[in-house]
Structure formats: C-alpha cells, structure tokens
Amino acid sequence: MKNSEKYLSLNAMTRFKDKNGNYLFSADKEAVSSYLEEYIKPNTMAFNSLSEKIDYLIANDYYDEAVLNLYRREFILQLFEKAYEKEFTFLNFMGALKFYNAYALKTDDAKYFLENFEDRVAMNALFLANGDETFALSLLDDIISNKFQPATPTFLNAGKKRRGEFISCYLLRVEDNMESISRGISTSLQLSKRGGGVALCLTNLREFGAPIKGIKNQSTGIVPVMKLLEDSFSYANQLGQRQGAGAVYLSAHHPEVLKFLDTKRENADEKIRIKSLSLGLVIPDITFQLAKDNKEMALFSPYDVERVYGKPMSDISITEEYEALVANDDITKTYISARKLFQMIAELHFESGYPYILFEDTVNERNPHKKKGRIVMSNLCSEIAQVSTMSEFSEDLSFTKIGEDICCNLGSINIAKAMDDAEHFESLIEHSIRSLDSVSRSSDLDSAPSIKKGNHNNHAVGLGAMNLHGFLATNHIYYDSKEAVEFTDLFFYAMAFYAFKASQKLAQTHGAFDGFKDSSFADGSYFEKYISEEIVPQSEKIKALFDSYHFHLPTRAEWLQLVEDIKETGIANAHLMAVAPTGSISYLSSCTPSLQPVVSPVEVRKEGKIGRVYVPSYKIDNDNYVYYQQGAYEVGPEPIINIVAAAQKHVDQAISLTLFMTDKATTRDLNRAYIHAFKEKCASIYYVRVRQDTLEGSELYDQDELIDNLGESYAELCEACMI
C-alpha cells in the first residue's frame, strides 16, 4: 500500500485562510474523498457480489460463522445492503484515517482491506443484536448515523473469528500474599492478550521492610510487583492491534506512597523507574483535611492493619478510622506532610501527567452497593467505580474462594447526533444499554474466574457520551458558560432516567442483577434526588434550546413511576453509566472527545508514518469558529471541572476528567484544581496535560509545497484562494 501526498496536503490546507479571511475547512472534506478514491479503493479486495464476499470472509476465518448463523442469510444480505444505502461519509479525514488504520479488517498479509465502515457497522449490529433481526436493524441505524458508538474492543472485534474480547477494561484486587500476587500477574497476562486494559489495586500489599513470617525487615514492598506487572503488559498484546496497558492504584496512606510516586520521576533510578505502567492514587477526605490544616499525615502498615482489623486495609474507611488507627500502638505508622504529598503529586503531574486520582469517600458515598463492600480503585481511564471483593487461593494458585472482580462494557452516545434526533432519544438509550448488556452476556471470561463471577453477578455496563463541545459550539454556546453547565446537567439527568428505564425493562427478561435487593436501588433511596422535586431548566436560553429540539425532560411523576417499577422488578445491571475519554472513537466519529473542550479549533496530531494530521472540530465553520477558539488550555481547569461535576450528579460510576494546564501554570494552580474537583464532588481525575510552547513554524506546512503536492487543477484553486 502506497501513500498519496494529495490527501495529506488537502488536509493540511484547513489551517489556511482564503482572501476573505475564511478558513478552508472544506479542504478537509476533499481530503476524505481523495483518500478513499486514491488510496483505499485501489487497496481494497474486490468481489463480484456481497454474497461472494461474505462466503470468502467465512471460509478464510475472518468472520465468525456462529454470529452469522443466528440470522437468515436473506436478512444478513438485507442488513448489509441497508448499510450501503445510508451512503455514509466520514465528516473529516481523521475519521477515515482512524477507521482504516485501526478498525477495518485486513488480509493476513495486510496488503488489502476487506471491510469498509458499513461492513464493520453491520457486523457490530449482528453481534450485539444476538439474533434479533428487528433490533439489528435499529442498531445499524444508531451506529451508522453516529448516534451510538461501541467502545474500541467491541467495535474492533464484533463478528470476527480471530479476535480479542469485547470488553474495554478489567480491575483486579491483589491481596497481601504470594498466591494473590502471582494470580494477579498471570490473570493480567491473559486479559492483556485479549485486548483489555487492566488495573490492579496494590493497597493491601505490605510495605518495604515489613515482616514475613514474623521476621522483621523482609518484605521487598510494592515496586518489584510493579516491575513484574510492567513487563507483563509489555509482553502481551492483542495480535499487535492493541498494545498491552496496565495501571496500579495505591492508597495515599500506604507507607510506600512517596516511593510509588517516585517511580514515575524522569530521573528515577532504573531499578525503580516505571515507564509504561500507569499510576493511580486513592485519596480519602481525611487527606485533604490534613493538608488544609497543614498537619502531618499518618501512613499505616497494611500488614498491621489487616492483622489488627481482620480485614485488608482497602476495605477500611481511612477517613472514619483515622484517629483510631493513629491511636493504635499495634499498627506501625510513619508520618509525612500532607501538603508535601500534594506538592509532590502536582510536580509529578507536570513531569508525566500521572498519577490518576480517585476521590475515595466521594465514590463510596454514592456507592449503591454499600452492603456488598467498598470501591477501592478505578481503571486505566479512571471512569469505573465498582465494588470488588476478596478472593482466596491455595498454594497451587487455584481458588479456594472466588471473589468478585470487575470488568466494564463501554460505549458512548454522540450528544449532538442524539439531540438532532431527540424524538427517538429514549429508544437510542434503550438500544445502547441493551447493546452493552449483550456484550456482558457474550464475553468469554474463563481465563479470569473472579472477573467472570463479578460480570455474571452484576452485568455492569458503562454508557457514556461524547461531542459535548461539538454540540455547544454548533449551537453557539460557549463551553465556559453557565448555560453549558446547565445543559450538561439536564442532558445527563434525562440520560440517567432512560438508562434506568432500559435496565428495568431488561430485568423483565433477564431478571435483576444478583444483590439488587441489598442495593439502594431496591428501596428507592438512590433516586431520592429525582423524586423530591421537579427538575426543569432555570434559564430561558436552555429552556428554548430543549424546546427547539423537541427534547423531553422526564418529569418527577415519571421518575416516581419508574422507581416503583424498579422496586417491583429490579434492574438488570448493577451499574449503568460511566464517561470514558473516548479518544479513539471520537476521532472515528469525527466529533469532540468525551465532555472536554477541544484543544484547538484544528487539532494537530502525529499519526505514525503519515506524520502530521489536522483535525478540524465537529462541523466547524467560519460562523461557529469563535465557540471553538477557546480550547481546553485557554479555558483552564475550572470550567471543565464544573461541566464534569454537573454530569457526575447523574452518572452512577465516574467520569474521565482531564485537566489541561498551560506552561505558565504552577503547582499551586494544580492544587487549586484538585481542591475544586474534590469540593465539586467529581469522582476522579484522569490525567493532567501540560501544553509546551512549540518552535515557531514547526507545525505548519509550506504553502508552495502544498500547492505542488496537490497537482495542477488543485493548485489553481489554491492560488485563487490563498493569501
């Protein structure tokens, strides 16, 4: 496959203006056409008919015949034909590039493409509908119109014979014994080769120098375990399509917390330096209080805590037990400055973007499954917040007690596309929840028995959303406005209602998830905030906006009825919503990522051997450009936190919250952002990105070079338009 230069040059033209001062955003659409015609079409395997193509893909082990056998052959052909009739087009060049580079099925020698976007959508609809022809047709429409997008593992693997799993992420507890550590590493290898990101909680591991079998100063601590995990994730990947990725979470009150953070220092000793493993800190309320009061904070030996309390440190509320832990002479403790810890976190964020932060008490206050246990960690993108329970092992690593570990099945709706078809918003959310539920009931998790048990008992899903900034900008609403926060609040309020309604409907078929009766869903207390008062738009602008789209906001009476229905039948899924970063799928859908603002009106990305690719914002034009002009770095962290906090009120898990800081920011600015996110009841902070100044002209194509690359006819056009 040879690359053409024309589509790259056309794509680069989006950064220039014509003689009237208007940006040449239309050039990016020309780039899409050029790319498909000059590069994709010649390198796509041709077939005489659709039927011949499907037969070939089955016979050569590309498509899974078991999925196709759920349907009549006539219907399969009808579904594919309907997909082609939609005349799908990529909104921008990056969407097309992302699809063909990362998602489209290729021949084993990678010389030819075997799928276009319509084919991949059709196979997703067939897989997710699990034999239901009517549902498959509805799903096809939802996905091909970009209203719903399954997460990468699902969209990539659905319907393929040789594939990874469909699940985005896995979370594993690790207990303070060699069997649990060994099992955690081996399970991480198994899950990583199937394409999921894996996070592990290390809070319960005894610290460096702790006793082993009563002999003091024997434990080597958590860093060697981190090293083993990093090597494991580097080794295992999904056929080279998705690199292995892992994260480890640790309580801020673990004795090795400073060493844990030091592993990400650029100048760290190679013996402890962690390069590719992601780090997450679990921070309770007490840590913020101690920092506020400028007090020393105690770090508690997990070995002693478990010996005294009879349960692992992660299963104890550090905030509630702090004074008792400090007063207990049987628990070894050391002290550091709480403010020094936050200073170090901020320094490390500037250096590496890590650690992720999970606000421990915030997520546990919201936890609808308190009787089952505590939320002790999050995942690789910090949007999962679920309870896990301890497993126990024999010496041969077989289970003597299978606990519940976590997996989550993710997908996102496109806010702008959902609003455009507001009349069918309820059915969109129902189809999306049903699709994610289908993934939870179709995945093979035999390699990880504790995750299999957790999935079987909970069928947890995480429906999220993307393209918030795209919707706001195309409706002439500034991202950092009160109206943006109010819209976000009400949109997720409605989304939550229909998600619970969809899960209640699924419970009529599948029954309620195991443990429903012990959850705060069962007695209705979880829904108190929705049934205590009528929720309506407060500003005339947002009221007019919802009215103009004919978007129905659920009433208090509707909530009251739904809560009664849930009490009677239950819900099928222990968790329903989580907002992921949507990096890859937002590029695929040519929309703005997650709930965050764009980094610039035209983003510059480096894509492998291709080099720089210019990504115009969703439906950007010279009319709405000003609403994209203030990007993530310009608006700063506070408006982003306010948006996320508004959505978080209605999201039962967490939201990937990325903070963007300019190179002028200080550690003090970052600490203000942590405190603001904490006070606004955000569940987590995912990543901190710091913008560095680039060399002047380093991201610009030479105008004459562009014209030369485009050829004679395009050159004439450019010369007429360019300044």
Side-chain angles (χ1 to χ4, degrees):
M1 296 182 182
K2 295 181 179 179
N3 280 331
S4 164
E5 293 297 326
K6 185 179 289 185
Y7 54 79
L8 294 177
S9 298
L10 281 164
N11 169 253
M13 282 176 62
T14 57
R15 298 194 37 109
F16 294 106
K17 295 179 181 180
D18 64 18
K19 290 179 179 179
N20 297 318
N22 295 319
Y23 284 95
L24 298 171
F25 297 126
S26 59
D28 189 61
K29 298 188 185 303
E30 293 283 351
V32 174
S33 299
S34 173
Y35 177 64
L36 296 178
E37 188 65 29
E38 298 172 27
Y39 180 57
I40 299 303
K41 191 174 179 180
N43 293 298
T44 297
M45 185 175 286
F47 297 93
N48 293 319
S49 67
L50 173 59
S51 188
E52 179 188 320
K53 177 178 180 176
I54 292 174
D55 286 339
Y56 173 87
L57 294 173
I58 293 171
N60 290 277
D61 289 339
Y62 291 109
Y63 277 174
D64 186 354
E65 195 170 11
V67 173
L68 298 175
N69 283 343
L70 295 170
Y71 301 89
R72 296 174 292 120
R73 177 66 172 223
E74 178 186 0
F75 174 77
I76 294 170
L77 297 175
Q78 175 192 345
L79 186 81
F80 274 81
E81 292 292 354
K82 184 179 180 184
Y84 303 147
E85 289 169 6
K86 297 287 185 180
E87 297 182 348
F88 172 84
T89 56
F90 291 99
L91 280 181
N92 63 32
F93 171 65
M94 184 62 183
L97 183 70
K98 179 63 70 174
F99 174 74
Y100 283 103
N101 276 357
Y103 295 94
L105 187 62
K106 302 178 184 70
T107 54
D108 291 340
D109 59 7
K111 288 184 177 180
Y112 296 99
F113 295 105
L114 293 169
E115 286 183 321
N116 56 26
F117 187 77
E118 292 90 336
D119 298 325
R120 190 90 298 266
V121 171
M123 289 307 293
N124 270 260
L126 292 170
F127 165 70
L128 293 169
N130 196 32
D132 186 329
E133 294 183 358
T134 302
F135 186 37
L137 288 167
S138 296
L139 267 181
L140 178 81
D141 183 66
D142 289 341
I143 300 174
I144 208 161
S145 61
N146 290 141
K147 289 185 289 187
F148 169 62
Q149 176 60 50
T152 288
T154 306
F155 194 66
L156 175 67
N157 291 307
K160 289 182 180 178
K161 183 69 175 289
R162 291 167 286 168
R163 60 170 179 78
E165 273 305 316
F166 314 108
I167 295 172
S168 297
C169 54
Y170 306 91
L171 292 79
L172 295 166
R173 280 180 59 131
V174 180
E175 309 305 336
D176 190 31
N177 58 76
M178 194 64 77
E179 291 75 20
S180 182
I181 294 168
S182 301
R183 191 80 195 209
I185 293 167
S186 64
T187 302
S188 295
L189 277 165
Q190 290 293 327
L191 295 171
S192 189
K193 89 170 187 180
R194 289 162 173 79
V198 187
L200 302 97
C201 178
L202 304 186
T203 294
N204 297 329
L205 299 191
R206 68 190 73 187
E207 72 280 14
F208 181 86
I212 295 178
K213 295 183 177 179
I215 303 172
K216 295 181 179 180
N217 301 317
Q218 296 301 305
S219 173
T220 54
I222 61 172
V223 174
V225 178
M226 293 165 68
K227 284 284 192 181
L228 287 167
L229 285 167
E230 182 166 60
D231 289 343
S232 299
F233 290 119
S234 299
Y235 178 72
N237 66 70
Q238 187 189 331
L239 300 175
Q241 289 179 298
R242 281 166 61 82
Q243 294 302 309
V248 286
Y249 278 80
L250 191 77
S251 169
H253 289 264
H254 189 284
E256 289 194 88
V257 64
L258 297 183
K259 185 186 290 185
F260 177 75
L261 295 174
D262 273 336
T263 62
K264 277 292 182 185
R265 295 279 195 190
E266 289 180 1
N267 61 353
D269 188 296
E270 284 300 314
K271 292 179 182 178
I272 69 162
R273 191 178 177 203
I274 295 296
K275 297 175 183 177
S276 59
L277 196 66
S278 300
L279 307 187
L281 268 188
V282 183
I283 305 182
D285 287 3
I286 186 64
T287 320
F288 283 93
Q289 187 61 49
L290 292 167
K292 180 182 178 182
D293 297 340
N294 197 19
K295 291 183 177 179
E296 296 278 292
M297 60 180 280
L299 310 178
F300 304 106
S301 165
Y303 173 80
D304 289 339
V305 170
E306 185 165 359
R307 185 170 49 83
V308 171
Y309 278 78
K311 56 183 177 181
M313 180 168 159
S314 65
D315 293 340
I316 293 168
S317 169
I318 297 295
T319 296
E320 292 176 7
E321 295 294 325
Y322 185 78
E323 295 302 330
L325 287 163
V326 168
N328 195 318
D329 293 335
D330 290 331
I331 295 175
T332 303
K333 55 195 74 73
T334 52
Y335 292 88
I336 61 171
S337 163
R339 289 188 179 179
K340 179 185 175 183
L341 174 66
F342 281 104
Q343 174 73 15
M344 186 173 179
I345 292 169
E347 290 171 0
L348 196 59
H349 271 148
F350 278 115
E351 251 184 66
S352 67
Y354 298 105
Y356 309 149
I357 292 174
L358 181 71
F359 298 111
E360 181 180 15
D361 292 309
T362 300
V363 294
N364 277 291
E365 283 166 15
R366 290 198 185 105
N367 176 16
H369 311 288
K370 291 183 177 70
K371 290 183 180 178
K372 177 182 283 189
R374 293 179 56 78
I375 296 166
V376 302
M377 63 184 297
S378 188
N379 67 316
L380 199 60
C381 299
S382 76
E383 82 274 14
I384 301 306
Q386 299 179 27
V387 172
S388 55
T389 60
M390 183 171 59
S391 295
E392 296 175 4
F393 306 93
S394 60
E395 290 185 357
D396 65 359
L397 305 190
S398 60
F399 284 86
T400 56
K401 174 188 173 184
I402 302 178
E404 288 187 19
D405 278 315
I406 300 162
C407 68
C408 209
N409 315 293
L410 303 177
S412 297
I413 63 165
N414 183 324
I415 294 172
K417 295 289 187 179
M419 290 296 291
D420 285 343
D421 189 22
E423 181 184 352
H424 298 107
F425 186 68
E426 178 176 355
S427 61
L428 171 63
I429 302 302
E430 181 183 334
H431 296 162
S432 303
I433 292 292
R434 184 175 169 187
S435 295
L436 300 183
D437 179 80
S438 179
V439 173
S440 80
R441 298 177 195 275
S442 305
S443 296
D444 178 3
L445 295 169
D446 287 343
S447 65
S450 59
I451 286 179
K452 181 179 180 179
K453 182 178 179 181
N455 181 63
H456 178 268
N457 287 349
N458 298 307
H459 293 292
V461 302
L463 181 62
M466 56 188 177
N467 208 15
L468 175 65
H469 195 184
F471 174 79
L472 295 173
T474 52
N475 283 275
H476 293 188
I477 298 172
Y478 287 104
Y479 184 91
D480 58 346
S481 66
K482 291 181 180 179
E483 289 83 3
V485 174
E486 184 180 7
F487 169 78
T488 304
D489 185 355
L490 292 172
F491 182 86
F492 276 88
Y493 161 80
M495 189 173 164
F497 176 81
Y498 291 120
F500 278 108
K501 190 172 182 179
S503 191
Q504 187 270 334
K505 190 173 180 180
L506 280 171
Q508 296 172 39
T509 302
H510 298 296
F513 70 86
D514 185 72
F516 167 76
K517 291 181 179 178
D518 290 329
S519 73
S520 59
F521 301 134
D523 62 8
S525 57
Y526 180 88
F527 305 104
E528 186 60 35
K529 58 190 172 186
Y530 300 122
I531 61 177
S532 59
E533 61 178 340
E534 196 76 61
I535 297 176
V536 295
Q538 296 301 302
S539 70
E540 286 301 318
K541 184 170 184 177
I542 296 303
K543 182 181 184 303
L545 180 71
F546 280 113
D547 287 345
S548 69
Y549 279 94
H550 305 289
F551 188 94
H552 173 69
L553 287 169
T555 64
R556 177 173 175 268
E558 288 176 296
W559 270 108
L560 285 166
Q561 182 58 57
L562 177 59
V563 171
E564 290 306 310
D565 293 341
I566 288 173
K567 287 179 180 179
E568 183 177 343
T569 64
I571 54 177
N573 315 95
H575 292 275
L576 288 168
M577 293 171 65
V579 182
T582 72
S584 185
I585 62 170
S586 59
Y587 287 123
L588 176 67
S589 300
S590 303
C591 69
T592 64
S594 190
L595 306 186
Q596 69 192 44
V598 297
V599 293
S600 65
V602 179
E603 183 187 0
V604 184
R605 281 186 60 85
K606 289 185 179 179
E607 288 292 314
K609 296 178 182 178
I610 286 179
R612 292 189 187 92
V613 175
Y614 296 85
V615 189
S617 298
Y618 175 76
K619 290 188 176 181
I620 190 171
D621 58 32
N622 290 287
D623 187 38
N624 61 40
Y625 180 88
V626 66
Y627 297 94
Y628 284 118
Q629 199 164 10
Q630 275 206 312
Y633 294 103
E634 286 74 27
V635 301
E638 188 169 318
I640 302 174
I641 290 168
N642 293 341
I643 287 280
V644 168
Q648 186 67 74
K649 292 190 288 183
H650 313 291
V651 174
D652 61 289
Q653 295 193 70
I655 298 171
S656 292
L657 166 58
T658 299
L659 302 180
F660 296 83
M661 313 296 290
T662 68
D663 58 347
K664 304 290 192 297
T666 65
T667 55
R668 189 181 185 88
D669 295 323
L670 255 180
N671 273 288
R672 278 199 209 98
Y674 306 151
I675 294 167
H676 186 55
F678 169 67
K679 287 183 174 178
E680 291 298 313
K681 296 293 183 180
C682 294
S684 63
I685 295 174
Y686 170 38
Y687 202 71
V688 174
R689 299 195 181 279
V690 181
R691 181 169 63 188
Q692 303 294 339
D693 286 336
T694 54
L695 294 174
E696 185 177 353
S698 65
E699 293 183 342
L700 295 178
Y701 275 77
D702 179 79
Q703 183 173 321
D704 293 332
E705 180 187 341
L706 276 177
I707 294 173
D708 290 341
N709 287 340
L710 289 169
E712 195 171 326
S713 60
Y714 282 103
E716 290 173 3
L717 171 67
C718 294
E719 286 170 343
C721 293
M722 299 279 210
I723 297 171

